[in-house]
Amino acid sequence: MTSQLVIGGALLAVFAWRFHREPRRLSNGLLLLFGAGFVLLGLLDELAPEVLVVLIAVSPLLVVGLAVLLIVNGVRVLRRERFRLGNAMSLLAGLAILAVVVVVPAGFLIAARSREPGVLPALLLSLLGVAGYIGFLFTLVTLYALVYSRLRPAPGSAAIVVLGSAVPRGTVPPLLAARLDRAVELYHREVAAGHAPLVIASGGQGPDEPVAEAHAMGRYLRERGLPAEVVAEEDRSRSTRENLVFSHRLLAARGDDGRLLVVTSSYHALRAAIQSRQLRLPAQVAGAKTARY
């Protein structure tokens, strides 16, 4: 057994222990990423240097391929969803990657031909460092978000909190409907296990919304057969942080300070989980299925 396998195994063991104790830590993903990396190096053993050379050789193609994928995905998002900064992030990220791919080689070529390159090489190296750091974070968050989104929440929650999203027509759109349907499914699972959780529809009213998100969500839940007495509407929040804080206060005002089961879109589950931990709330987060884009 190589030293890489021993190190990788140890890191994965620490990851498993920390994940069991508190899965809402992004640092768990760091342990998972490095542990898997060391195990892979150990399995490759003597082939590791050759594999590393191949990866370095094809990395420019992988980077360009990622940029194209992000741009295509970004255009698709903007076509299917309303135009706002959050929906444009994929497109902007792809364009930024292409800009780095073009600017850095061109910059080094100019510096090589110049008799006095000045600070240009240092600026280009700094740009590469920033891009590499962002790429590392992208990989880390993506990997751990996929792991966390598959975590099955344990029964016994005092309330199921559904995070809202835009209702520009006053009715529940498909993205939000998936969250609410997931909440209904989890509610019936809790009831079958002998629990009676409150279901909190959480979301305020934006300037382009005819009604508060919570009201549209509450109506949807009751239409799906949930008893009116178990549905509560929190209609003041404007962000995920406020969703969590105000929903917890609503539950506490009813004399219950138990655990929350937060329901949001699968890609958003890790972010909501990290925020709930930062707020020191007893909470689990369950992800609902969303469109692949």
Side-chain angles (χ1 to χ4, degrees), residues 202-235:
S202 179
Q205 183 174 358
D208 59 344
E209 295 174 313
V211 298
E213 295 165 9
H215 299 333
M217 295 161 67
R219 182 171 61 248
Y220 184 95
L221 289 169
R222 290 186 289 271
E223 289 174 351
R224 293 306 181 277
L226 262 63
E229 61 269 19
V230 306
V231 178
E233 298 175 1
E234 182 286 297
D235 59 2

Side-chain angles (χ1 to χ4, degrees), residues 37-287:
F38 274 105
V39 168
L40 181 61
L41 287 175
L43 293 174
L44 292 173
D45 201 15
E46 295 181 357
L47 292 177
E50 289 80 1
V51 172
L52 185 61
V53 170
V54 172
L55 288 176
I56 293 174
V58 302
S59 59
L61 294 177
L62 295 176
V63 171
V64 173
L66 175 62
V68 172
L69 179 64
L70 288 171
I71 291 172
V72 171
N73 187 71
V75 171
R76 188 178 182 187
V77 170
L78 292 177
R79 283 181 175 176
R80 297 198 175 195
E81 306 290 340
R82 62 176 180 164
F83 183 85
R84 59 178 181 174
L85 182 60
N87 291 337
M89 290 305 294
S90 178
L91 175 62
L92 294 175
L95 293 174
I97 292 172
L98 284 185
V100 170
V101 169
V102 173
V103 168
V104 171
F108 277 118
L109 183 61
I110 293 172
R113 292 181 177 181
S114 175
R115 295 181 180 179
E116 297 182 2
V119 298
L120 182 59
L123 291 174
L124 294 172
L125 288 174
S126 298
L127 179 60
L128 277 178
V130 171
Y133 177 69
I134 293 174
F136 173 76
L137 286 181
F138 180 85
T139 304
L140 170 64
V141 174
T142 301
L143 173 65
Y144 194 55
L146 289 172
V147 172
Y148 186 88
S149 67
R150 283 159 175 74
L151 183 65
R152 185 178 176 85
S157 298
I160 299 173
V161 180
V162 191
L163 304 189
S165 66
V167 289
R169 295 183 177 85
T171 56
V172 171
L175 178 74
L176 186 52
R179 299 181 186 183
L180 294 165
D181 290 341
R182 177 71 166 143
V184 171
E185 173 192 332
L186 291 170
Y187 171 79
H188 288 305
R189 197 184 80 179
E190 291 278 1
V191 170
H195 307 289
L198 184 69
V199 181
I200 303 175
S202 179
Q205 183 174 358
D208 59 344
E209 295 174 313
V211 298
E213 295 165 9
H215 299 333
M217 295 161 67
R219 182 171 61 248
Y220 184 95
L221 289 169
R222 290 186 289 271
E223 289 174 351
R224 293 306 181 277
L226 262 63
E229 61 269 19
V230 306
V231 178
E233 298 175 1
E234 182 286 297
D235 59 2
R236 295 188 298 143
S237 55
R238 299 294 183 90
S239 65
T240 300
R241 190 178 187 88
E242 291 185 352
N243 286 141
L244 297 170
V245 171
F246 294 161
S247 295
H248 187 253
R249 288 178 184 173
L250 190 155
L251 182 64
R254 294 183 173 226
D256 197 336
D257 201 29
R259 188 178 62 193
L260 303 178
L261 175 52
V262 182
V263 180
T264 185
S265 301
S266 57
Y267 69 88
H268 185 243
L270 178 60
R271 177 173 173 269
I274 291 172
Q275 289 203 17
S276 70
R277 178 179 171 272
Q278 291 171 344
L279 292 167
R280 298 183 179 180
L281 296 177
Q284 301 178 92
V285 182

